[in-house]
Amino acid sequence: MLRLPPCRRAALIAPAALLLVGCSQGLPGLPGRQSTQIPISDAPPTPPLQQGNTLIVDAVAKVGPAVVRIDTVKRVVNPLGGLFGRGPTIQQQQGQGSGFITRSDGVLLTNAHVVEGASEVTVTLPDGRTFTGKVLGSDPLTDVAVVKVVASKLPVAPLGDSAKVRPGEWAIAIGNPLGLDNTVTAGIISAIQRTNAVGEGQRVPYIQTDAAVNPGNSGGPLINDRGQVIGINTAIRQAPGAGLSFAIPINVARQIAAQILEKGSVSHPYIGVRLQALTPQLVREINASTDECRLPEVNGVVVVEVMPGSPAAEGGLKPCDLIDQVGGKAVKNPSEVQLAVDQGRVGQPLAVSLRRGDGRLTLQLKPAELPRQG
């Protein structure tokens, strides 16, 4: 009689078990499984990671616990609600974004567009805790908002200095893109001072990065390799095969958040002018077509229009003036003028150096507060 090895007898009883546990003995006349396996790779062993090779892991560990998901509910009026069964009069729209805690007593930063018009705000931490959030204030011009939850001893994200950011440095984004919580992506700082990243007239010198950012990342932190927040992810520009993302420098966000915490609103100075960037070619065209302005063939910023009764008009600024400096800072385009004015204070003198005709002069303007829309 043929005697089967024990594992073979077991296989006849429960063949499915053979797939799970296998058999280490051979059948009579057949080679059994060897105790030593044939190697499938002869690559040398990989040395263990050194401490310096875990910089992204270490940076994320510092900030990650303070990155939150923000869920919002916005109630909107349905103009057709109640008519012919076309839905309720009031409808609810749900939104989602990211944010990060900056104070252990429950203060966090996010984008203004994440919480805009929200009637309900829910904040969820990575450890699963959920809080009801209150929007203390927001600033649509810079897209910064401050939210407060009732809590204590929360994890905090360390803030860095965005003035020290340089192209080529590591850039790490943390957030909840497309509803996928606590997602980490990495790239480099592609550029800084992008004043025309999301349209003209911006008051933010954006940080540009190639770290993958998607809807839902809005309001989340952009951090450096030392685990410091250097920006708030706010906008993306996509093209076939490529994508760029832009972050509000944390130094700008600090200033806006400080005003919101102090006053509940944000004040932006303005002087009341319409400007045009100049190139030598454009100057030649202007000089050839009109005698109203005679401009030097240089790159610069020219005043096109001065609003009546504005701080610029009261301070003596005129059309055709070529602006060189604002507040002691050299300016080369209208966006840089805008940023320099925004660094000033409402009602405080602001020096504007310019060329008028063949002469040079410096005017002292007193910016007024930019009227709020709506």
Side-chain angles (χ1 to χ4, degrees), residues 20-373:
L20 299 177
V21 301
C23 180
S24 62
Q25 300 184 34
L27 293 174
L30 295 177
R33 180 176 297 175
Q34 301 297 320
S35 59
T36 59
Q37 297 182 352
I38 299 175
I40 61 172
S41 172
D42 58 359
T46 303
L49 286 175
Q50 301 300 315
Q51 186 65 26
N53 294 332
T54 63
L55 76 171
I56 292 181
V57 175
D58 295 340
V60 172
K62 292 179 182 178
V63 181
V67 180
V68 302
R69 187 182 77 237
I70 298 178
D71 295 286
T72 61
V73 175
K74 181 189 299 185
R75 294 187 175 91
V76 296
V77 176
N78 179 8
L80 300 178
L83 296 176
F84 310 107
R86 295 187 178 182
T89 303
I90 303 296
Q91 293 183 329
Q92 292 187 346
Q93 294 180 349
Q94 295 182 336
Q96 191 176 87
S98 305
F100 56 98
I101 304 168
T102 60
R103 277 187 6 196
S104 60
D105 62 351
V107 172
L108 60 100
L109 299 186
T110 185
N111 282 148
H113 76 259
V114 169
V115 297
E116 180 183 8
S119 54
E120 297 178 17
V121 177
T122 303
V123 176
T124 303
L125 274 65
D127 61 15
R129 286 182 289 172
T130 299
F131 302 92
T132 297
K134 178 182 179 181
V135 180
L136 298 183
S138 63
D139 180 40
L141 280 180
T142 58
D143 201 16
V144 174
V146 179
V147 176
K148 180 73 168 64
V149 300
V150 179
S152 61
K153 298 181 180 180
L154 295 179
V156 175
L159 304 185
D161 183 358
S162 54
K164 297 180 179 179
V165 172
R166 295 293 180 266
E169 294 180 350
W170 281 108
I172 307 163
I174 311 177
N176 309 294
L178 307 175
L180 302 173
D181 293 357
N182 309 116
T183 296
V184 177
T185 56
I188 63 168
I189 301 297
S190 303
I192 58 175
Q193 300 286 327
R194 288 296 199 202
T195 55
N196 59 348
V198 292
E200 295 296 331
Q202 297 298 310
R203 292 172 179 259
V204 178
Y206 293 99
I207 299 171
Q208 178 183 328
T209 173
D210 64 352
V213 170
N214 292 283
N217 271 113
S218 291
L222 184 72
I223 69 175
N224 59 22
D225 57 7
R226 295 177 296 283
Q228 299 170 326
V229 179
I230 55 175
I232 304 178
N233 297 310
T234 187
I236 56 177
R237 292 176 64 176
Q238 293 180 325
L244 302 174
S245 59
F246 300 90
I248 304 162
I250 195 60
N251 289 5
V252 174
R254 282 177 190 263
Q255 296 174 3
I256 300 301
Q259 291 189 56
I260 291 174
L261 290 171
E262 180 182 357
K263 302 182 299 182
S265 61
V266 180
S267 175
H268 288 285
Y270 92 109
I271 58 175
V273 293
R274 186 161 63 90
L275 305 173
Q276 171 67 52
L278 287 181
T279 64
Q281 176 62 32
L282 181 57
V283 170
R284 286 191 288 269
E285 295 176 3
I286 294 174
N287 290 340
S289 60
T290 179
D291 292 330
E292 186 175 346
C293 285
R294 306 303 299 178
L295 300 170
E297 295 184 6
V298 296
N299 293 301
V301 186
V302 66
V303 177
V304 176
E305 181 182 4
V306 178
M307 296 173 57
S310 67
E314 294 177 358
L317 206 60
K318 297 180 179 181
C320 301
D321 285 347
L322 193 66
I323 298 178
D324 293 324
Q325 295 183 354
V326 176
K329 298 179 180 179
V331 292
K332 296 177 288 186
N333 56 58
S335 293
E336 290 185 354
V337 174
Q338 181 99 326
L339 291 174
V341 170
D342 212 42
Q343 294 299 311
R345 288 194 162 194
V346 173
Q348 298 297 317
L350 180 68
V352 177
S353 300
L354 54 91
R355 297 170 64 172
R356 179 178 294 170
D358 296 328
R360 288 184 173 273
L361 66 156
T362 298
L363 303 177
Q364 296 292 331
L365 309 184
K366 290 186 177 181
E369 183 168 347
L370 181 69
R372 294 185 177 89
Q373 296 181 352

